[in-house]
Amino acid sequence: MQELTNSDFGNVLSAAPMRAFDPSVLGFLDDVSQKILNTSTTRQFPDLATLGFFLRRKNLDRIGRGYLGDGKVFLMGRGLAFHVGPANVPLNFAYSLVASLLAGNPSVVRVSSRPFPQVDLFVDALNAAFDAAKMSNRVSILRYGHDSAMNERLSQTCDLRVIWGGDQTIQTFASIPVPARATEIHFANRYSAAVIDARDYLETCEAREIAQKFYNDVYPFEQNACTAPKLVFWLGEDVVIRQAKERFWSELKQTMHRAQYQPAEGVGVRHFKSVAQLAVEAPIRRSISHPSLTVIEAETASACRLDHGASEGFFLERSIQHLGELSDALDQRCQTLAFVGDLKTDILSCVAEHGMKGVDRVVPVGTAGHFSFVWEGKDLIRLMSRSFEL
Amino acid sequence: MKDFDFPTATDERLARFQSLARHHYDACSAYRNIVDRWFGPSALSGRLEELPFLPAEIFKTHALKSVPEEEVFKVMKSSGTTSQLRSQIYLDRDTARAQSKALSSIVAGVLGKKRRPMLVIDCPAQIANRATFSARGAGILGFSTFATKKFFALNDDMSINHENIQAFLDCDADQSFLFGFTAIIWQEFLSKIDAHSFKEKAGAAVLLHGGGWKKLAAQNISSQTFGARVKERLPFVQSVHDYYGMVEQTGSIFLGCDQGYLHTNPYNHIICRDQNTLEPLPEGETGVLQVMSTLPTSYPGFSILTEDLGRVIGPGETMTAGVTHASTVFEVHGRMAQAEIRGCSDTYQGR
């Protein structure tokens, strides 16, 4: 086991919960924010910079006021939180940790064994801010392999267990019980989609900006984040859709070119493998074949495989005339639906009308990867704390 | 006299591959779907590099057959060491016969037509249980058909079996051959003997080896280094030949020359493609290898995109069925780098 932070692990395990949005925690996180934003290498990692901005006192104060309702609500931590971070998005665990600390919980995080420079930089910032705030007694970040003894110890001790990502990981931890009264928060395998109002896209003067935003939702983590759209639905009349598609994919290619996006070697082979797997079973048609952008048209709703598994710029697209057709393709595994056009209310009506179990986030394109304390419809701060009305 | 049945002229070969493509398109719906939905049916009558190909992986996930079930005579399975799924290859009698005939013709290019004593550089356990055959076991059995008598050079604990080796060396035959898997020969045999261990051997011997370079490439050992080491430690070995083959294209193996390069022969063809665009690459450039075989009619495996990297070096010559043919010379460098499988599902990789 490797402890990344300079923490007093034993003290963290026995630390007491505190009030949510405690000034000491807000001060500590603001300090972390400054350390991140004042490190020159941060500029190389947009996700780290985003985290740095998110942690500013001003931002967290604003969020805190929302939760505490100007003193009408009293929130208190639950106790020791044990977070199991995912391997696909380097700093996802940081947001889980921050929510947990703000909710008033001492927190232990198991991070993926995959090395990411952003993780090291974030840990450096935590370590540097520890002393002033005595937070080394409340935060510990660990990296360990498949050490079931450590998983058991932390699970048995914790009051709150948060598992990010992976049906298989959730399954693994199902056999490692937490105390009966402990709270559990799970994030299962999820997939995301986008819906584009074709007319709206053609009429906007932001065709390029929208492609850029879509790029930001997809390519920074090679389409592996669960928030990255894998399906693209085109809403409108066929002739309009045809023009919109042409414009959009061409703008996306130019965006990739401008961003000097470098595909990982072998992407063509991986995309071809995915194409062949799909083509055997589902009626599809080739739309675009370009390294790091493969677009396949699904000729039926059932060919829209949300779990097609390919990434690095692999999309299934489908034309629809009504939003209601989304309900045929987007089942409970759908997490985020990013939209282009004035569609939010209509999408939510569609979710209600069709009693859809999926679609937990409906966000404008370009913000699919933006973190919010309400994640997949779960309010993390509230789930991680006890609330009392005053 | 013409006792071989492979197309030799370039346009004959193209016609053979096109007719295979058309046959599988008509006979196998899965193949037809992939062609229609990705390549387009016009690819069926395209040039060699335009003909459709399948990813090797598809034989692990789908049962692809181009003959009715009742004509399936044997199902071959890959060893499945790297993943849980194993390739399933459906053979009818015609394809099986064509495979063994092709293998004989190709191997005859270096061993001649007469059977010879064989030294297997592996342990007998590899073929002890037919139910749990590995690729190693299958290879040993496949090449045993060229043997009058076989001797195992290793004991089951991978120690050297000096008695067996001595018996092989004492065999009264002017021709003999040694066979084994590249990494086993290097790690379990060559490293344990020296140039004086087995000096004397009447007659000429040839060493055939295959199974891939993954382990040796990691140690920066080229096929030339390998060949030189074999001849240094086993002075009676006259020539060393690597072969490259896969369960999806059994029979039409690519055989290496004594200089350590692989050659195509009349039963196969090689195309090197860019890993990202899948466009064919010119000679000398490294890419992913597509292998083609004139043999498979019972399953659509005549054109396969591997995940092996390599490069085409240029034109050459090869001996098949006693006749010299023009060939394409190439080399295999090893497996493509695996993409990091990243998804919300892999917090807990492996076990």
Side-chain angles (χ1 to χ4, degrees):
Chain A
M1 185 192 86
Q2 184 192 0
E3 185 164 33
L4 303 186
T5 43
N6 304 324
S7 311
D8 300 305
F9 184 60
N11 290 354
V12 178
L13 293 191
S14 58
M18 54 166 68
R19 289 180 66 155
F21 295 97
D22 189 275
S24 66
V25 174
L26 291 166
F28 167 69
L29 293 175
D30 191 50
D31 211 3
V32 173
S33 161
Q34 286 178 32
K35 299 251 181 328
I36 290 173
L37 296 175
N38 292 336
T39 303
S40 58
T41 35
T42 295
R43 249 170 285 148
Q44 295 166 31
F45 305 101
D47 54 337
L48 185 62
T50 305
L51 176 66
F53 278 108
F54 185 83
L55 296 180
R56 282 173 309 157
R57 177 84 190 230
K58 208 174 155 194
N59 184 46
L60 296 182
D61 271 341
R62 184 184 55 78
I63 293 173
R65 280 196 299 278
Y67 278 99
L68 303 176
D70 297 326
K72 293 194 185 70
V73 183
F74 179 88
L75 291 180
M76 174 74 197
R78 291 187 168 272
L80 180 68
F82 171 33
H83 305 256
V84 181
N88 60 332
V89 181
L91 290 174
N92 176 292
F93 78 88
Y95 290 95
S96 190
L97 170 67
V98 167
S100 175
L101 292 175
L102 287 172
N105 303 306
S107 304
V108 178
V109 185
R110 174 194 186 268
V111 294
S112 157
S113 48
R114 297 245 312 272
F116 290 108
Q118 297 98 304
V119 172
D120 297 338
L121 290 166
F122 175 63
V123 168
D124 289 346
L126 289 177
N127 280 336
F130 268 167
D131 284 351
K134 296 209 174 88
M135 289 296 284
S136 60
N137 293 324
R138 299 190 71 78
V139 181
S140 173
I141 297 180
L142 310 176
R143 184 175 272 158
Y144 55 89
H146 304 297
D147 180 352
S148 52
M150 183 50 93
N151 284 335
E152 272 170 35
R153 181 176 174 198
L154 290 169
S155 295
Q156 282 159 9
T157 320
C158 75
D159 302 283
L160 167 68
R161 187 169 69 179
V162 190
I163 304 173
W164 287 89
D167 292 1
Q168 211 189 324
T169 306
I170 293 169
Q171 198 63 47
T172 305
F173 275 91
S175 60
I176 310 174
V178 292
R181 63 180 159 67
T183 302
E184 285 214 78
I185 307 174
H186 294 169
F187 295 95
N189 289 354
R190 303 304 293 276
Y191 309 94
S192 296
V195 55
I196 301 176
D197 183 322
R199 185 167 298 281
D200 201 286
Y201 179 68
L202 281 178
E203 287 173 358
T204 178
C205 43
E206 296 185 321
R208 170 183 285 201
E209 288 76 3
I210 287 170
Q212 174 73 52
K213 287 177 176 175
F214 185 81
Y215 174 89
N216 291 342
D217 283 346
V218 173
Y219 286 86
F221 302 111
E222 285 87 32
Q223 207 184 9
N224 288 303
C226 48
T227 55
K230 302 234 168 184
L231 303 185
V232 177
F233 293 93
W234 294 95
L235 177 67
E237 296 149 40
D238 285 345
V239 48
V240 184
I241 287 177
R242 210 169 307 136
Q243 290 174 44
K245 276 181 179 176
E246 200 173 311
R247 180 82 197 270
F248 179 78
W249 295 123
S250 128
E251 289 286 0
L252 185 63
K253 282 187 205 167
Q254 289 173 41
T255 304
M256 276 191 264
H257 184 71
R258 280 196 306 275
Q260 298 180 319
Y261 177 76
Q262 286 296 329
E265 279 290 287
V267 63
V269 178
R270 290 187 289 275
H271 279 190
F272 175 66
K273 282 162 67 178
S274 301
V275 163
Q277 291 292 344
L278 279 167
V280 171
E281 287 161 4
I284 56 162
R285 198 163 54 200
R286 172 184 195 151
S287 298
I288 297 171
S289 172
H290 166 276
S292 59
L293 178 63
T294 298
V295 185
I296 308 285
E297 187 173 347
E299 295 190 317
T300 62
S302 61
C304 292
R305 302 286 172 83
L306 196 51
D307 59 348
H308 64 64
S311 55
E312 306 174 83
F314 190 103
F315 302 94
L316 273 166
E317 64 178 357
R318 171 142 178 89
S319 302
I320 56 171
Q321 288 179 314
H322 309 285
L323 283 176
E325 293 173 56
L326 291 176
S327 66
D328 298 328
L330 302 180
D331 58 22
Q332 67 276 10
R333 294 168 304 171
C334 177
Q335 180 206 59
T336 301
L337 184 58
F339 61 86
V340 173
D342 185 16
L343 295 178
K344 185 157 187 174
T345 334
D346 292 344
I347 292 169
L348 293 176
S349 307
C350 164
V351 169
E353 195 181 317
H354 292 86
M356 291 170 68
K357 285 190 183 176
V359 185
D360 295 342
R361 301 176 66 229
V362 179
V363 298
V365 72
T367 62
H370 289 194
F371 185 78
S372 152
F373 282 133
V374 180
W375 194 252
E376 294 184 0
K378 296 169 189 168
D379 188 327
L380 296 180
I381 298 282
R382 284 191 170 269
L383 287 170
M384 291 177 176
S385 61
R386 292 168 285 165
S387 89
F388 305 85
E389 282 182 31
L390 294 174
Chain B
M1 191 190 79
K2 190 177 175 186
D3 67 343
F4 45 88
D5 57 349
F6 45 76
T8 47
T10 312
D11 44 350
E12 258 180 73
R13 276 155 57 78
L14 175 61
R16 172 66 181 162
F17 285 123
Q18 286 177 341
S19 84
L20 279 170
R22 172 59 64 180
H23 159 70
H24 293 297
Y25 183 83
D26 292 338
C28 174
S29 62
Y31 183 77
R32 185 161 61 245
N33 284 345
I34 293 172
V35 172
D36 284 345
R37 292 165 178 173
W38 187 252
F39 293 94
S42 63
L44 296 173
S45 44
R47 290 176 289 134
L48 275 180
E49 59 273 21
E50 293 164 344
L51 291 176
F53 45 84
L54 299 183
E57 183 195 64
I58 204 91
F59 293 94
K60 294 183 176 171
T61 52
H62 293 83
L64 303 188
K65 285 191 281 276
S66 301
V67 287
E69 183 65 48
E70 58 271 21
E71 287 179 27
V72 173
F73 144 77
K74 188 171 156 190
V75 182
M76 284 200 304
K77 292 184 179 176
S78 66
S79 54
T81 45
T82 45
S83 75
Q84 303 293 48
L85 292 172
R86 303 167 71 189
S87 300
Q88 298 204 26
I89 304 300
Y90 293 82
L91 298 181
D92 64 357
R93 288 187 186 276
D94 287 347
T95 301
R97 201 177 301 124
Q99 287 179 344
S100 65
K101 204 170 167 190
L103 185 64
S104 299
S105 302
I106 296 166
V107 173
V110 291
L111 291 188
K113 290 200 163 179
K114 254 179 74 186
R115 293 187 182 204
R116 311 161 161 211
M118 173 189 193
L119 181 68
V120 180
I121 304 182
D122 212 321
C123 60
Q126 287 299 327
I127 57 163
N129 185 355
R130 281 180 186 248
T132 58
F133 258 6
S134 63
R136 267 161 65 190
I140 294 167
L141 271 201
F143 280 86
S144 297
T145 57
F146 307 108
T148 46
K149 192 170 181 354
K150 65 174 179 287
F151 305 86
F152 284 89
L154 301 175
N155 295 306
D156 285 344
D157 64 359
M158 301 311 266
S159 59
I160 305 272
N161 187 325
H162 287 269
E163 285 169 26
N164 277 359
I165 295 171
Q166 200 50 55
F168 166 77
L169 295 175
D170 293 343
C171 262
D172 185 21
D174 31 318
Q175 305 276 320
S176 61
F177 79 109
L178 299 81
F179 173 82
F181 276 72
T182 314
I184 303 288
I185 295 175
W186 184 266
Q187 287 169 357
E188 305 291 348
F189 189 64
L190 295 179
S191 66
K192 296 174 187 168
I193 59 172
D194 61 38
H196 308 289
S197 303
F198 308 105
K199 239 179 152 167
E200 304 294 326
K201 163 99 183 86
V206 169
L207 182 134
L208 284 170
H209 66 103
W213 285 94
K214 202 170 148 188
K215 281 183 185 154
L216 298 199
Q219 302 172 45
N220 266 325
I221 294 154
S222 69
S223 72
Q224 287 75 17
T225 314
F226 180 89
R229 180 72 59 90
V230 169
K231 288 175 185 167
E232 180 223 343
R233 301 281 155 101
L234 302 168
F236 56 89
V237 170
Q238 219 169 33
S239 63
V240 176
H241 303 270
D242 184 14
Y243 74 87
Y244 175 55
M246 54 212 67
V247 68
E248 294 84 359
Q249 292 188 351
T250 301
S252 58
I253 58 168
F254 298 89
L255 198 58
C257 59
D258 189 40
Q259 285 74 44
Y261 297 105
L262 291 162
H263 287 252
T264 61
N265 57 54
Y267 295 101
N268 56 30
H269 184 67
I270 193 99
I271 295 173
C272 183
R273 294 184 181 272
D274 182 278
Q275 290 187 69
N276 293 349
T277 64
L278 299 190
E279 290 298 318
L281 290 173
E283 279 174 15
E285 289 186 25
T286 297
V288 62
L289 298 174
Q290 176 193 347
V291 292
M292 298 178 79
S293 166
T294 60
L295 306 175
T297 51
S298 60
Y299 65 96
F302 73 100
S303 177
I304 287 174
L305 188 69
T306 71
E307 291 181 47
D308 291 326
L309 294 178
R311 68 184 178 113
V312 169
I313 293 166
E317 280 184 347
T318 186
M319 181 97 126
T320 301
V323 181
T324 301
H325 297 278
S327 70
T328 302
V329 183
F330 69 102
E331 62 185 6
V332 180
H333 302 151
R335 299 281 285 178
M336 267 174 59
Q338 289 295 305
E340 288 191 1
I341 302 156
R342 311 207 310 187
C344 296
S345 54
D346 72 340
T347 315
Y348 232 69
Q349 305 109 319
R351 247 166 228 287

